[in-house]
Amino acid sequence: MGFTIGGIREIRSGTRRRGRSPECTAVAEFTGLWGWDVVPGARAASGVCSCGRAKCPAPGAHPLEFAAPVSAGATLDEVGRAWAEVPGAAAMLPVGRAFDVIEVAEAAGRRALVRLERMGLPLG
């Protein structure tokens, strides 16, 4: 199972509600609206990983081992409590459970998205 870092947050502006962080509301959207599990992940700044390991092999590109995943269907309040335990964590989506990720060239990916949309399939 791999992980992808959530990016829908950049698409949707103005998701700040009730004083919650943008990450918290994005995670609530992933779990509640899309039905995806979310795993708190490490972040990297200047090549240093937030996990605390001095020689982290994948800075900012892995789940935090000590953080519990947030299950699909979690409410905004449940997400708020869970994300308060890991402030500043990246939202990572475990692939291979509810959806898959396929890496293709940009031109092919754009054509595929257009075709999938025309077919009426839900796109994340």
Side-chain angles (χ1 to χ4, degrees):
M1 168 182 45
F3 290 90
T4 184
I5 299 174
I8 292 178
R9 172 70 192 107
E10 285 78 28
I11 297 171
R12 302 187 188 278
S13 61
T15 58
R16 187 177 292 255
R17 287 182 277 174
R18 290 194 271 170
R20 293 199 169 43
S21 70
E23 292 86 6
C24 184
T25 54
V27 170
E29 182 175 330
F30 295 150
T31 61
L33 180 62
W34 295 96
W36 297 338
D37 293 337
V38 179
V39 178
R43 290 192 184 265
S46 303
V48 178
C49 189
S50 66
C51 70
R53 289 186 282 181
K55 295 190 179 190
C56 179
H62 62 85
L64 293 171
E65 294 174 3
F66 56 85
V70 180
S71 298
T75 66
L76 183 58
D77 290 333
E78 292 168 337
V79 170
R81 286 190 294 275
W83 226 250
E85 300 292 321
V86 287
M92 301 188 85
L93 308 171
V95 297
R97 294 181 187 169
F99 65 91
D100 294 316
V101 174
I102 300 171
E103 188 173 342
V104 297
E106 180 182 358
R110 288 186 184 278
R111 286 192 302 271
L113 285 173
V114 168
R115 185 169 184 154
L116 291 169
E117 190 173 53
R118 286 182 185 155
M119 293 170 62
L121 296 171
L123 303 175

